[in-house]
Amino acid sequence: MKGLVCKVCGYVALDGNKSECPVCRAKNSFEEKEDAYKTPDFKAVSGESEKKHIPAFKVVNECGLIPGNGCVDVHVKIGEILHPALPEHRITEITFYLDNKFIANVMSMADVNPAAVIHLKSGAKGKAQVIENCNVHGKWFNEVEIK
Ligand SMILES: [Fe+2]
């Protein structure tokens, strides 16, 4: 999928805002790439690569961690078949968006599971999106509707 990618850190600007990278703060660092990331309709030529890379969601309301009005949790696991977590082949980043706007970035090393969670404010609505980066197979996108 075509996208605007930061040349410094690799962040993908789903909202098209290229003034400043919200992850590394570089200015004027975006370039348009034809193959910025793969989407759930991608079919690997061989093997089950897409099943190991497309982010899989679980949305949980009211987890109890946040007092008061609570939160809406977006859990993401990479992927339907769990991706390896090895020094030489791992998920290096999981980036969260809400309605195409950047909200959080989780960077990880090989000694954690290929998964992350973000606690949205109570009442959040829209499309939660994730782009994950595999150090071997690149970036993969998926989204889920928050109601
Ligand atoms: Fe991979």
Side-chain angles (χ1 to χ4, degrees), residues 49 52-53 78 83-84 89-91 132-138 140:
S49 187
K52 291 179 185 165
H53 289 96
I78 316 301
H83 188 277
H89 186 195
R90 62 194 176 88
I91 304 305
E132 63 91 344
N133 186 66
C134 165
N135 67 337
V136 177
H137 301 103
W140 300 71

Side-chain angles (χ1 to χ4, degrees), residues 8-84:
V8 177
C9 72
Y11 164 78
V12 180
L14 292 181
D15 62 359
N17 185 348
K18 51 185 177 182
S19 57
E20 180 181 303
C21 177
V23 174
C24 73
R25 299 294 172 196
K27 294 193 182 353
N28 303 314
S29 62
F30 287 92
E31 63 181 353
E32 193 158 279
K33 279 194 168 176
E34 285 300 318
D35 58 346
Y37 55 92
K38 294 178 182 70
T39 55
D41 56 7
F42 177 83
K43 290 281 175 279
V45 175
S46 64
E48 297 179 308
S49 187
E50 70 277 12
K51 287 185 181 161
K52 291 179 185 165
H53 289 96
I54 294 292
F57 292 103
K58 181 177 177 186
V59 177
V60 178
N61 289 301
E62 305 293 335
C63 75
L65 181 67
I66 306 299
N69 292 331
C71 54
V72 178
D73 300 0
V74 180
H75 294 249
V76 63
K77 174 182 77 133
I78 316 301
E80 179 187 330
I81 298 172
L82 199 64
H83 188 277

